[in-house]
Amino acid sequence: MAMGLFRVCLVVVTAIVNHPLLFPRENATVPENEEEILRKMQEHQEKLQLEQLRLEEEVAQLLAEKEALKQAEEEGQQQSESYTAWNLWSTLCMILFLIIEIWRQDYQDTLFPECPAGDEDELSGLGGAPLKGLPLPNKATLDHFYEHCIRSATGDATRTREFVEGFVDDLLEALRNVYSRNTDMEMEDFIGVGSMYENWQVERPLQCHLYVPFTPPEPYSFRPELWCSSLSVPLDRQGYGQIKVTLADGDPLGCACSKTKLGEDMLCLLHGKSGGVQPSGGGGDEMKDLLCSRETSHLDAMQVMKWFQVALTRAWRRIAHKYEFDLAFGQLDTPGSLRIKFRSGKFMPFILTPVIQCNDSDLYFVPQLPKEAHRGPPASGTDWFLSFAVSERQFLRMIGKALPEDACHLSCLQIASFLLSKQSRLSGPSGLHSYHLKTVLLHLLLSRQAADWKASQLGVRLQELFRFLERSLQEKKLHHFFVGNHKVPEAMGLPEVVRRAEPINLFRPFVLQRTLYHGTMDFFYEMLRNAPTLISEYSLHVPSDRASPPPKAVAL
C-alpha cells in the first residue's frame, strides 16, 4: 500500500516539474531560428543520404571484389592443379630422356671404346641386339682372303690402264683433228681418277675413269663460279658451281658478235643465226645448241655432254679401221661411258668425262653427277658438280709416302669395298657407296699415327672403319673430307674459299628420306653380319674370274 502511494506521488511531482508554465523552454521565444534549424537538418539529412550512398557503393564494391577474389581463387586452384600435373609430366619426360641419353652414351661407349690396338671392339647388332665386335676370321684367313681374292683379282689393273690410256690418246688426237683448234674447243691431255688410279678398285670388270679438260677457243674464256663464294647457298646446291663464258679480257657480255666480224661459215659461241646457242665453225647442223643455256652466258652441262658424244663419235669413225674391236656407248644414263667390245665377246668399260678446271687448282667441274656422291640432281642444267677426285688421288699419294712400306690403308678400303659390292648384289643397292668408304678412310688417315697402319693392324683398322661408318650413319652426318676441313695440309693447295666453306654433309639424303635411311641401316648391319661368312667362303673357294654381263650398248 505504501509502495502504491509512493508511485502516485512520484507521477504528480514529475508532471508539475515538466509543466511549461512552471519551467518555460529557453528557445520557445525565438521562433526565427527554426528555419535555420530546418536548413541544417536538411543539410544533415542530405549528408546522411550521401554517406548512405557512399556506404552502399563501398559495400557493393567490396562484394564485387570478394566475388572476383573467390573466382580468381577457384581459377588459380584449377591452374595450380593443371600446372602441378604438367610439371609432373615434364619431370617424368625429362627423367626418361635423361635415362635414354645416359643409356645411349654408355651404349656408344661400348660400341666405340678407346682401347689399344689389337683389342676387339663392339658393334651394334641387327634389330637392336648387340653384336660383339665384327667377328672377323683370324689373321691367317684374312691375309689369305686378301691375297687370293683381292690382290690377284686386281693384278691386271696395270695392263688395263696401259691399254685404255693408249687407246684414249689416239681417240683424243683424232678428235683434235676433227675440229679446228682456232674455232672449237681444245682438248687437253686426260687425267686418271678414281679407284683404278688410287689402287683400290675391286669390282669387276676393272674400269678406268678419265677426265678430259677442255678450254674454249679465242677470244673466249671460262670463269668458274664456286658455290661457296656466296654467303647464302641452298643446301641442295652445295657442291655445285656454274661456268660463265666471257671474253678473255673479262667482258661480262661474253659475246664477240659486236666486236669481231664473223665469216659466213662462222657462228658465235653464244648466239647462233637463229638466236639459239651454237658453237663456232666446223660443227655443222648436228652441233647446234651445244654450249650455253638459252639466253644466258653459262655453260649447260647436258649440252656439253651432247657435244662431247658427237665429237667422240666422229673421232672414232676416223680411227676405227686401225682396231680389231668395236666401240660403243656403255651405260645410257652415264654420258661418256664407253665400252670396248672384242671379237671374243669380252669387253672393257671405261669413262671419258669432259671437265673444266677450277682456276689453277686440282678441282674440276664435271657435267654429270657421280653416282658415288649420292646427292640430289642439280637444280638446273647450268649447275656443274665440283669434283675433288684429283685432290683425293694426290692426298693418298702424299700420305702414302709417310706410311710404312707395307701399309694396310688401301687393303682396308679394298676389303670394305668388296663386302659392300657383294652385299649390294645380295640385297640390292642402298644409300651407301664406295665413295663414303673412301671418305671415312681419308678422315681416319688424318686422325691416326703412321705406325697404326702397319700390315699387322689390318683387322683392327678394318673394324675401326666400320665403327666410324656406323657412328656416322647413326648421326646421319658424314662431312666431306676437303670442304671446310682445316686439318687438310696446306700443301694440297686447296682454294681458300673451299677451306673456309661450311662442311658438306654427304649423309644429308638420310635426313630428308626416312625410307632410304632405314633401308641403308638394315643394309649396313646385314653386311656386317654376312662379312665373316663371305670372307671365310671366298678365302676357301676362290671364284673364277667371270665378268659381269655387259649392259646394253648403243653402237657408235
Side-chain angles (χ1 to χ4, degrees), residues 99-116:
I99 294 175
I100 294 176
E101 180 66 17
I102 294 175
W103 174 82
R104 189 180 68 84
Q105 294 293 338
D106 294 340
Y107 187 55
Q108 286 188 349
D109 289 342
T110 60
L111 294 180
F112 313 106
E114 295 297 332
C115 57

Side-chain angles (χ1 to χ4, degrees), residues 362-496:
D362 288 332
L363 310 185
Y364 289 85
F365 286 99
V366 297
Q368 84 268 11
L369 180 67
K371 292 183 177 180
E372 293 81 3
H374 195 69
R375 298 171 63 83
S380 66
T382 59
D383 288 340
W384 291 60
F385 186 78
L386 185 62
S387 172
F388 292 79
V390 177
S391 296
E392 291 164 359
R393 178 185 175 184
Q394 296 294 340
F395 176 79
L396 287 174
R397 181 181 300 175
M398 180 184 68
I399 202 72
K401 297 178 180 179
L403 297 179
E405 184 177 356
D406 56 348
C408 66
H409 61 299
L410 294 181
S411 304
C412 180
L413 182 57
Q414 284 178 308
I415 295 177
S417 181
F418 176 88
L419 297 176
L420 177 64
S421 174
K422 297 303 179 183
Q423 187 61 41
S424 297
R425 295 184 181 182
L426 290 174
S427 56
S430 69
L432 275 181
H433 298 275
S434 58
Y435 187 78
H436 297 145
L437 299 178
K438 184 170 74 169
T439 301
V440 171
L441 177 69
L442 295 179
H443 283 292
L444 291 178
L445 285 172
L446 279 185
S447 62
R448 282 287 180 183
Q449 299 293 329
D452 294 335
W453 296 99
K454 293 182 179 179
S456 59
Q457 301 297 315
L458 175 60
V460 179
R461 298 285 78 82
L462 183 61
Q463 291 198 28
E464 185 178 30
L465 185 146
F466 283 121
R467 290 199 307 271
F468 192 107
L469 181 59
E470 182 186 38
R471 179 162 46 192
S472 300
L473 285 171
Q474 290 175 345
E475 298 176 355
K476 301 179 183 178
K477 183 184 298 183
L478 177 61
H479 286 157
H480 193 282
F481 177 69
F482 287 107
V483 180
N485 189 355
H486 301 287
K487 296 181 180 180
V488 175
E490 294 185 1
M492 291 300 301
L494 293 176
E496 190 64 22

Side-chain angles (χ1 to χ4, degrees), residues 209-440:
H209 192 176
L210 306 174
Y211 280 176
V212 182
F214 66 97
T215 56
E218 296 182 355
Y220 301 101
S221 65
F222 290 149
R223 190 179 72 183
E225 298 176 350
L226 283 173
W227 88 97
C228 49
S229 60
S230 176
L231 295 178
S232 58
V233 178
L235 292 177
D236 57 350
R237 293 196 68 245
Q238 287 185 343
Y240 292 91
Q242 291 184 329
I243 311 298
K244 190 170 185 178
V245 181
T246 65
L247 293 176
D249 57 1
D251 188 347
L253 296 178
C255 180
C257 293
S258 60
K259 299 184 179 181
T260 305
K261 184 177 180 180
L262 302 178
E264 294 181 356
D265 59 341
M266 298 282 287
L267 297 177
C268 175
L269 185 68
L270 297 178
H271 308 98
K273 294 180 179 180
S274 60
V277 180
Q278 301 181 9
S280 57
D285 294 338
E286 61 187 5
M287 299 292 286
K288 293 180 180 179
D289 300 331
L290 63 92
L291 288 180
C292 291
S293 178
R294 287 186 177 274
E295 300 181 357
T296 71
S297 58
H298 291 90
L299 281 183
D300 188 293
M302 291 300 101
Q303 296 294 338
V304 169
M305 287 307 304
K306 181 194 301 184
W307 159 77
F308 191 65
Q309 284 182 324
V310 173
L312 291 178
T313 302
R314 298 184 65 181
W316 167 244
R317 290 174 181 173
R318 292 177 63 93
I319 63 173
H321 63 279
K322 298 168 51 177
Y323 297 94
E324 296 182 354
F325 56 76
D326 294 328
L327 182 66
F329 288 114
Q331 302 174 2
L332 298 180
D333 58 344
T334 305
S337 175
L338 299 170
R339 183 168 61 89
I340 297 174
K341 185 178 181 179
F342 299 95
R343 293 179 179 179
S344 61
K346 293 184 178 181
F347 66 95
M348 182 178 296
F350 64 98
I351 299 177
L352 280 182
T353 304
V355 299
I356 298 175
Q357 187 177 14
C358 179
N359 300 325
D360 296 328
S361 66
D362 288 332
L363 310 185
Y364 289 85
F365 286 99
V366 297
Q368 84 268 11
L369 180 67
K371 292 183 177 180
E372 293 81 3
H374 195 69
R375 298 171 63 83
S380 66
T382 59
D383 288 340
W384 291 60
F385 186 78
L386 185 62
S387 172
F388 292 79
V390 177
S391 296
E392 291 164 359
R393 178 185 175 184
Q394 296 294 340
F395 176 79
L396 287 174
R397 181 181 300 175
M398 180 184 68
I399 202 72
K401 297 178 180 179
L403 297 179
E405 184 177 356
D406 56 348
C408 66
H409 61 299
L410 294 181
S411 304
C412 180
L413 182 57
Q414 284 178 308
I415 295 177
S417 181
F418 176 88
L419 297 176
L420 177 64
S421 174
K422 297 303 179 183
Q423 187 61 41
S424 297
R425 295 184 181 182
L426 290 174
S427 56
S430 69
L432 275 181
H433 298 275
S434 58
Y435 187 78
H436 297 145
L437 299 178
K438 184 170 74 169
T439 301
V440 171

Side-chain angles (χ1 to χ4, degrees), residues 139-154 199-200 202 407-415 418 458 535 538-539:
K139 185 178 183 301
T141 303
L142 190 62
D143 292 341
H144 183 270
F145 161 75
Y146 177 76
E147 290 294 331
H148 291 82
C149 298
I150 294 181
R151 187 189 295 274
S152 62
T154 58
N199 299 318
W200 60 270
V202 295
C408 66
H409 61 299
L410 294 181
S411 304
C412 180
L413 182 57
Q414 284 178 308
I415 295 177
F418 176 88
L458 175 60
I535 293 176
Y538 273 87
S539 62

Side-chain angles (χ1 to χ4, degrees), residues 188-224:
E188 300 179 1
D189 294 335
F190 63 82
I191 304 173
V193 297
S195 57
M196 272 288 286
Y197 288 87
E198 295 167 351
N199 299 318
W200 60 270
Q201 181 171 358
V202 295
E203 293 188 22
R204 305 289 294 184
L206 299 176
Q207 179 174 263
C208 294
H209 192 176
L210 306 174
Y211 280 176
V212 182
F214 66 97
T215 56
E218 296 182 355
Y220 301 101
S221 65
F222 290 149
R223 190 179 72 183

Side-chain angles (χ1 to χ4, degrees), residues 37 39 97 159 190 443 449 499:
I37 293 174
R39 183 178 60 78
F97 292 153
R159 295 190 299 270
F190 63 82
H443 283 292
Q449 299 293 329
R499 298 176 62 90

